[in-house]
């Protein structure tokens, strides 16, 4: 498939309501991507960009994850979050920003509630907290909960502390619609950290009563790996190291199927979540020859497959170099065979973007594009860009489109997350802000008929044409 340089957008203006929790001020933000800042396949084009602005460009700010509700997308950031109005995807605009530092800003949304992960030790749970890196002194990390019923004026209403903080979290609704459960994934224990000592072979489960979210609390800390999980193998990107399993990096739930898939550092895991408060491991897989860090998981639309990503290099390495094998730093496609507690994960193939890149290039966050009868995914690869690829044939995945930021596009990190929502791809670039990308291809165009009311990437449902 051919590729093309995309001409720079006209200077895009967005009205920014910069909210500091104490009051709001308006500011203008303009972005000009510059000539030659990226290239795309012939079927892909960038239609809009909203740059990051102060205060989230300061205070350790870096764009991270995305969550969607109605005509809004919430952009997580190491320094807080931004709410964008995407009623017109060609002209997205900032509605509000919240300055509330605490990496890495993983976000999910349910109703009027926004959940935000904090995986760095802070002096306290407030938005005015400072970094507290001495684990022997008092500190806080965990989940912050905001009321976003007024999108222009979010309110911080509750915090919940969790062991080892919250690197990511997964929203799992109960079956009665009364409670939301947050499966908290965290890792990196150390004897010097007061509330994150090894072993850390568990997750934390936060129960949020939807009628009274201020009553949210940790209700369980199930040990998932009583045998300690994968012991790991020391080394670096070039030597083929494997991270020791000391918790999970990310879990994706499929609530209607009562299953979840966990990317748990050295292990890929399938869970039974019939009892939301007592998830059980059904099966585990390892790939020590090729997978270094099991990072995230995505089901296909009928939950018969799982794509696991390998974050080789931890998000800071050039793993798409020609001297690194196509089977390393790749996605792994697995079929789910059997059912219920007898289900197993069967490896079928690897997928890695078919472009060499000497910048940071690592498999990262993505989502399914809901195409009936096909399995198609969009995915971020940091400076490797955004890739759209088809894994309908589990053994022979193929890329069908891409958006690739070039070295001229400023900022070291590139695209952190890329998700399909109501006809468009939304990508959060660590430094460049929110990108809106359009793909025009007969293999995915059917997905434009799917309209969702809410979307959290780690909470999947069977998606059908029409409104979901």
């Amino acid at each position: 498939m051919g590729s093309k340089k995309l001409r720079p957008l006209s200077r895009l203006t967005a009205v920014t309501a910069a909210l500091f929790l104490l009051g709001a001020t308006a500011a203008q933000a303009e972005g000009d991507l510059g000539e030659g800042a990226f290239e795309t396949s012939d079927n892909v084009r960038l239609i809009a960009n909203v740059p990051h602005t102060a205060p989230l460009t300061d205070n350790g700010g870096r764009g991270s994850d995305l969550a969607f509700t109605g005509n809004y997308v919430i952009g997580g950031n190491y320094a807080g979050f931004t709410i964008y109005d995407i009623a017109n995807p060609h002209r997205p605009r900032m509605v509000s920003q919240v300055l509330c530092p605490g990496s890495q800003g993983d976000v999910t949304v349910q109703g009027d509630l926004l959940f935000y992960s904090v995986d760095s030790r802070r002096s306290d749970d407030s938005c005015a907290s400072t970094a507290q890196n001495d684990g022997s002194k008092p500190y806080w990390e965990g989940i912050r909960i905001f009321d976003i019923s007024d999108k222009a004026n979010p309110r911080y209403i509750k915090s919940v502390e969790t062991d080892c903080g919250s690197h990511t979290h997964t929203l799992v609704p109960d079956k009665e619609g009364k409670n939301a459960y947050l499966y908290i994934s965290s890792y990196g224990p150390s004897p010097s950290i007061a509330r994150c000592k090894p072993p850390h072979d568990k997750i934390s489960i936060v129960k949020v009563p939807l009628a009274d979210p201020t009553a949210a609390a940790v209700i369980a800390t199930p040990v998932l790996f009583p045998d300690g999980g994968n012991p790991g193998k020391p080394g670096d990107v070039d030597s083929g190291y494997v991270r020791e399993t000391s918790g999970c990096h990310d879990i994706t739930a499929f609530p209607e199927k009562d299953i979840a898939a966990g990317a748990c550092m050295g292990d890929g895991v399938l869970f039974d979540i019939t009892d939301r408060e007592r998830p059980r491991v059904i099966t585990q897989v390892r790939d020590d020859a090729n997978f270094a860090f099991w990072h995230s998981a995505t089901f296909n639309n009928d939950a018969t497959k799982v794509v696991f990503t390998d974050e080789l290099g931890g998000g800071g390495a050039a793993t798409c170099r020609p001297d690194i094998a196509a089977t390393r730093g790749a996605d792994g496609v697995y079929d789910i065979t059997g059912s219920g507690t007898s289900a197993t994960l069967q490896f079928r193939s690897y997928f890695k973007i078919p472009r060499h890149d000497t910048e940071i290039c690592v498999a990262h966050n993505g989502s399914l594009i809901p195409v009936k009868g096909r399995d198609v995914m969009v995915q971020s690869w940091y400076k490797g860009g955004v890739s759209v690829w088809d894994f309908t044939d589990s053994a022979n995945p193929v890329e069908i489109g891409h958006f690739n930021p070039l070295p001229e596009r400023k900022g070291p990190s590139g695209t952190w997350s890329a998700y399909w929502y109501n006809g468009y791809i939304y990508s959060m670039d660590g430094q460049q802000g929110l990108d809106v990308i359009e793909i025009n291809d007969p293999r995915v165009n059917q997905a434009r008929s799917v309209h969702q009311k809410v979307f959290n990437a780690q909470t999947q449902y069977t998606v059908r044409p029409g409104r979901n």
Side-chain angles (χ1 to χ4, degrees), residues 172-175 183 252-261 270-276 280 282 299-306 336 338-343 368 459-464:
V172 187
D174 70 6
K175 297 178 182 180
Y183 288 2
T252 295
F254 210 122
E256 70 187 79
K257 304 283 188 179
D258 287 330
I259 60 172
L270 198 64
F271 299 99
D272 179 343
I273 59 168
T274 303
D275 185 339
R276 302 290 195 251
R280 296 190 304 115
I282 298 172
F299 289 99
N300 68 341
N301 199 37
D302 55 5
T304 58
K305 302 177 185 179
V306 182
I336 299 175
S339 61
T341 57
S342 299
L368 201 68
T459 310
Q460 287 189 238
Y461 295 90
T462 302
V463 181
R464 300 173 179 86

Side-chain angles (χ1 to χ4, degrees), residues 15 49 57 64 67 80 98 101 106 111 190-191 225 235 272 304-305 307 413 422 442:
V15 176
N49 168 266
T57 50
S64 58
V98 170
D106 190 29
S190 169
F225 307 101
D272 179 343
T304 58
K305 302 177 185 179
V307 174
S413 67
N422 294 351

Side-chain angles (χ1 to χ4, degrees), residues 347-370:
F347 172 77
R348 295 297 184 233
S349 65
Y350 297 103
F351 171 80
K352 192 172 183 178
I353 58 173
R355 290 172 298 287
H356 291 146
D357 200 314
T358 57
E359 297 182 282
I360 294 172
C361 181
V362 182
H364 218 241
N365 292 0
S367 74
L368 201 68
I369 298 179

Side-chain angles (χ1 to χ4, degrees), residues 96-300:
S96 61
Q97 290 184 297
V98 170
L99 175 63
C100 199
S103 69
Q104 65 181 5
D106 190 29
V107 288
T108 62
V109 62
Q110 176 158 346
D112 291 330
L113 299 177
L114 174 71
F115 306 104
Y116 178 99
S117 281
V118 178
D119 189 33
S120 60
R121 292 181 294 281
R122 310 295 299 178
S123 57
D124 56 53
D125 65 350
S126 76
C127 289
S129 65
T130 58
Q132 171 51 279
N133 294 320
D134 186 341
S136 67
K137 294 182 178 180
Y139 68 86
W140 177 90
E141 57 183 344
I143 286 285
R144 291 176 177 142
I145 304 176
F146 294 83
D147 182 327
I148 59 169
S149 53
D150 181 350
K151 301 298 187 292
N153 294 283
R155 293 187 303 112
Y156 183 14
I157 61 172
K158 174 70 175 180
S159 71
V160 181
E161 186 174 29
T162 58
D163 291 346
C164 294
S166 175
H167 193 71
T168 66
H169 68 271
T170 304
L171 176 66
V172 187
D174 70 6
K175 297 178 182 180
E176 294 77 30
K178 295 181 179 180
N179 303 292
Y181 291 94
L182 305 179
Y183 288 2
I184 309 298
S185 295
S186 56
Y187 58 93
S190 169
S192 65
I193 305 176
R195 291 185 297 282
C196 186
K197 295 181 182 297
H200 182 71
D201 302 315
K202 63 184 181 181
I203 62 172
S204 297
I205 300 178
V206 174
K207 183 177 182 179
V208 184
L210 297 178
D212 182 14
T214 61
V218 174
I219 51 92
T221 54
V223 173
L224 305 178
F225 307 101
D227 64 349
N230 195 325
K233 181 173 67 174
D236 56 24
V237 169
D238 294 318
S239 66
Y241 76 98
V242 178
R243 283 290 295 269
E244 174 188 3
T245 298
S246 59
C248 291
H249 181 279
D250 216 328
I251 295 172
T252 295
F254 210 122
E256 70 187 79
K257 304 283 188 179
D258 287 330
I259 60 172
C264 299
M265 305 180 72
D267 293 271
V269 185
L270 198 64
F271 299 99
D272 179 343
I273 59 168
T274 303
D275 185 339
R276 302 290 195 251
E277 298 184 7
R278 297 173 179 81
R280 296 190 304 115
V281 173
I282 298 172
T283 188
Q284 293 170 248
V285 289
R286 295 176 182 171
D287 182 1
D288 290 354
N290 289 296
F291 260 52
F293 190 101
W294 296 71
H295 173 272
S296 53
T298 301
F299 289 99
N300 68 341

